[in-house]
Amino acid sequence: MGYEKQLSDRSLFVDDQRSRGKLEELREILNALCELVGYSERADSVCVVRRVGKAGGQVLGSWGCNARSLSGEVDLPGLNALSRPFVAMSGLDRAKWYREHPLSLVAPFTKRMIAVALPDLPSEQRCYLALSFGSKADRLVESDARFLYSAAHLLSILLARSAACQSESSGRMLMEQQQSCSNDVPVGEEAILAFLSSTLLRKAALRHKGGISYVVARQWKAALKEVQLAAFEGLKIGPSKVAVSQIAYEISVIVSSIFEGMKFDAVVPVPCGSSGTQTCMSVEIAGALAKILGVPVNNCLRGELGSGRSHPKKNKALRPYRIDGEVSGHLLLVDDVLTSGKHLQLAYDALRAAGASVSSVVWVGG
């Protein structure tokens, strides 16, 4: 896969060479996710299947099997994205319907299968995640079910972002990128956190930009940055204590290493913008990090954005932050993710203007 490319285009032509390159890139990403699911659930094979009319289907991504297309009706009995998005089937080695199903050629020794319908996709673009087991597996526990649901949500985000699901009659139709379902659908975080943990580069670094210095704990992987950003949006909707604690711990290790012996009087979070999330991730991370470091958290920064998105590149009306309360001593300024660096710069400037000494750390930066 050409890592200089990104899945950032807003459109795809179905049958030109450029589109085929993008789809191959997407396939590699989906293959990696199928591998993650396969190892997690101890499956023999995993695949993402897209229904193509009544005459066949397409394997968008797979692990443990090698297939690109399926001939015949690929729908699974009882699986429906609205009424029954999750099915678990056993005794498939004795089931006549499975012996006649296209998936039997992909996974011929399957005795048990788990399938999850990918949500929030149009009915004519039905897709599902299928896990095949060659032996009788243990009963599916609740944590496994949550993981598979969140994996299905993440796959839906990737397919919507890349416009990979094409209409049957599209031909050379121009596909507009669908809005990320992470804006309005609470995405389970188990698969998202696993995806980010395995793909974000563990490469701590000291950066300098706009007159400030800051430390990043992880960095984007160039070829996956757009996908990682989409996954991160889903994680920020309502991060659990598990996710916040893991991120805070990673930051604390980097802080202890790079700022060895340095004492902080408080941890200060960079304020969230108008992203519409109910929970501010930077505030949650700062609180957890403060407990690990044994110092108080000071949520002293206040600011208002102009109309529009909170992303610095999409909102040119960013105003300086103001200080609410007292600040003094040496402060650790914390943010969850850095894109343009504008929010971090404004927070740094406000704290320095109030007379504090500031060190900055970000979980993910460029």
Side-chain angles (χ1 to χ4, degrees):
M1 180 172 70
Y3 284 144
E4 74 281 359
K5 301 176 183 177
Q6 294 185 16
L7 299 176
S8 58
D9 287 2
R10 296 187 60 82
S11 61
L12 285 175
F13 282 101
V14 177
D15 57 353
D16 65 7
Q17 186 61 41
R18 182 165 165 268
S19 173
R20 285 196 291 272
K22 290 291 184 182
L23 291 176
E24 285 304 310
E25 238 179 79
L26 173 69
R27 190 183 298 277
E28 294 229 7
I29 295 170
L30 297 185
N31 288 346
L33 280 173
C34 287
E35 181 177 1
L36 186 151
V37 172
Y39 277 117
S40 173
E41 303 304 313
R42 301 178 299 279
D44 293 301
S45 64
V46 181
C47 57
V48 180
V49 178
R50 174 199 166 219
R51 182 177 185 268
V52 181
K54 294 183 178 181
Q58 181 182 12
V59 179
L60 300 177
S62 63
W63 173 80
C65 57
N66 185 18
R68 295 295 183 91
S69 61
L70 302 172
S71 178
E73 175 60 68
V74 299
D75 284 348
L76 293 174
L79 186 65
N80 185 288
L82 297 178
S83 60
R84 195 183 178 194
F86 188 102
V87 295
M89 299 166 284
S90 58
L92 298 185
D93 55 328
R94 303 184 302 273
K96 180 180 178 181
W97 73 265
Y98 184 72
R99 291 197 297 269
E100 298 174 351
H101 195 279
L103 281 178
S104 66
L105 298 177
V106 176
F109 304 108
T110 298
K111 294 183 179 180
R112 181 170 176 264
M113 178 178 290
I114 297 173
V116 188
L118 271 56
D120 309 300
L121 294 174
S123 59
E124 69 273 10
Q125 298 174 355
R126 286 186 302 216
C127 298
Y128 59 82
L129 173 67
L131 288 74
S132 300
F133 302 85
S135 59
K136 186 176 180 179
D138 297 333
R139 182 181 296 274
L140 190 70
V141 298
E142 184 179 355
S143 60
D144 290 327
R146 288 200 308 269
F147 179 86
L148 293 177
Y149 273 124
S150 58
H153 275 292
L154 179 54
L155 288 165
S156 293
I157 293 174
L158 301 185
L159 292 175
R161 286 250 171 180
S162 65
C165 289
Q166 307 292 344
S167 171
E168 293 176 30
S169 59
S170 58
R172 287 184 56 88
M173 180 186 295
L174 184 66
M175 298 298 296
E176 294 294 333
Q177 182 187 43
Q178 301 176 28
Q179 183 179 9
S180 170
C181 65
S182 63
N183 291 336
D184 49 26
V185 177
V187 180
E189 71 172 26
E190 290 91 345
I192 296 179
L193 190 59
F195 172 71
L196 290 174
S197 296
S198 62
T199 61
L200 289 171
L201 300 177
R202 288 180 175 272
K203 191 175 181 181
L206 179 64
R207 302 286 187 183
H208 306 276
K209 187 174 183 179
I212 67 171
S213 298
Y214 59 92
V215 174
V216 296
R218 287 182 179 247
Q219 299 182 43
W220 307 109
K221 191 170 185 176
L224 300 179
K225 184 176 180 180
E226 293 297 320
V227 179
Q228 290 170 334
L229 281 168
F232 197 81
E233 289 175 10
L235 189 66
K236 291 181 70 169
I237 287 179
S240 71
K241 290 183 179 180
V242 174
V244 169
S245 297
Q246 178 175 321
I247 295 170
Y249 176 75
E250 286 188 10
I251 294 176
S252 71
V253 172
I254 301 302
V255 168
S256 300
S257 175
I258 294 182
F259 300 110
E260 183 177 4
M262 192 173 292
K263 300 297 182 181
F264 297 101
D265 295 290
V267 175
V268 179
V270 174
C272 287
S274 56
S275 58
T277 58
Q278 297 179 354
T279 304
C280 182
M281 194 167 187
S282 59
V283 172
E284 296 293 317
I285 293 173
L289 179 61
K291 290 182 179 180
I292 295 174
L293 299 179
V295 300
V297 60
N298 188 351
N299 193 7
C300 60
L301 291 170
R302 299 290 182 272
E304 295 180 357
L305 294 171
S307 60
R309 295 285 302 277
S310 63
H311 192 294
K313 293 182 179 180
K314 298 179 180 179
N315 191 326
K316 300 183 182 302
L318 288 171
R319 303 186 182 99
Y321 291 123
R322 66 179 189 277
I323 301 294
D324 183 8
E326 297 183 359
V327 295
S328 60
H330 188 196
L331 306 178
L332 181 61
L333 182 63
V334 178
D335 204 357
D336 51 4
V337 59
L338 183 139
T339 49
S340 72
K342 185 62 176 178
H343 286 121
L344 190 69
Q345 179 75 61
L346 291 174
Y348 181 90
D349 291 344
L351 294 174
R352 288 297 301 271
S357 173
V358 184
S359 296
S360 306
V361 63
V362 179
W363 184 47
V364 186

